[in-house]
């Protein structure tokens, strides 16, 4: 990983922390630069606006979701394929800073409402929900499959027990999500 990538990642990390702690609208680029110990001009080299930082945080997620959607679209509509979609979705979430982004999104819902990059993520998740079910499936099965995906997100908010490690949260959510997928035909 090059220095530019490292710097960009560090900016994203610090901005995400400040946006979550102080609020997106209340955080300035100057504050981000100060927290990083760089000049505002150095920050501008990587990101011209706070919107650019938000866009960068979602780009990797959208790319990963697009790859999963492409893979899932080539699979048969079987229980094992659905289970693998859930496993891959969970693995992708665990691999990055997804839970920090989720906390940021939860705490800044008003500021992010209608943001085009956030809408792209929502659209991709909706597509995955469609792939997990067939239109002729019973409503209960479609709901359980959608809830399987949402479970992987909800574990970060519904049970705010700071004693749990990210791995424990991910494992617990994956277990419940797979149970919902397995039980979705009943």
């Amino acid at each position: 990983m090059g220095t530019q990538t490292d710097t960009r990642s560090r900016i994203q990390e610090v901005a995400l922390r400040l946006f979550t702690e102080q609020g997106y609208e209340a955080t300035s680029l100057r504050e981000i630069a100060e927290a990083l110990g760089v000049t505002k001009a150095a920050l501008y080299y990587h990101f011209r606006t706070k919107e650019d930082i938000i866009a960068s945080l979602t780009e990797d997620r959208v790319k990963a979701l697009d790859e999963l959607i492409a893979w899932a679209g080539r699979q048969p509509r079987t229980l094992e394929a659905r289970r693998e979609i859930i496993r891959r979705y969970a693995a992708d979430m665990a691999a990055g800073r997804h839970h920090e982004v989720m906390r940021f999104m939860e705490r800044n819902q008003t500021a992010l409402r209608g943001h085009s990059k956030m809408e792209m993520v929502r659209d991709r998740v909706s597509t995955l929900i469609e792939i997990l079910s067939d239109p002729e499936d019973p409503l209960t099965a479609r709901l359980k499959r959608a809830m399987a995906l949402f479970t992987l997100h909800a574990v970060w908010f519904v049970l705010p027990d700071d004693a749990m490690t990210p791995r424990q949260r991910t494992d617990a959510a994956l277990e419940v999500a797979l149970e919902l997928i397995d039980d979705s035909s009943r």
Side-chain angles (χ1 to χ4, degrees), residues 99-148:
H99 63 278
E100 287 109 348
V101 173
M102 291 297 301
R103 285 211 167 116
F104 155 71
M105 289 173 64
E106 177 199 26
R107 293 184 180 151
N108 292 278
Q109 290 178 35
T110 302
L112 298 174
R113 186 169 290 124
H115 191 287
S116 64
K117 295 291 184 177
M118 296 301 160
E119 292 301 319
M120 288 174 70
V121 172
R122 284 186 195 99
D123 289 346
R124 294 334 190 263
V125 172
S126 293
T127 300
L128 275 176
I129 290 169
E130 289 172 18
I131 290 171
L132 286 169
S133 295
D134 293 315
E136 64 275 357
D137 287 340
L139 177 59
T140 54
R142 292 185 319 215
L143 181 59
K144 286 178 183 179
R145 290 173 186 160
M147 294 310 297

Side-chain angles (χ1 to χ4, degrees), residues 68-116:
L68 179 57
I69 288 166
W71 177 86
R74 294 187 303 269
Q75 305 309 306
R77 300 273 176 125
T78 64
L79 175 60
E80 191 46 48
R82 288 179 177 110
R83 290 175 59 86
E84 185 60 22
I85 291 168
I86 295 296
R87 284 192 289 266
R88 288 179 182 219
Y89 190 90
D92 178 62
M93 286 180 65
R97 58 169 68 105
H98 185 75
H99 63 278
E100 287 109 348
V101 173
M102 291 297 301
R103 285 211 167 116
F104 155 71
M105 289 173 64
E106 177 199 26
R107 293 184 180 151
N108 292 278
Q109 290 178 35
T110 302
L112 298 174
R113 186 169 290 124
H115 191 287
S116 64

Side-chain angles (χ1 to χ4, degrees), residues 56-70:
S56 73
L57 289 168
T58 59
E59 286 168 1
D60 289 343
R61 184 75 181 137
V62 168
K63 182 179 180 227
L65 287 170
D66 284 343
E67 290 170 5
L68 179 57
I69 288 166

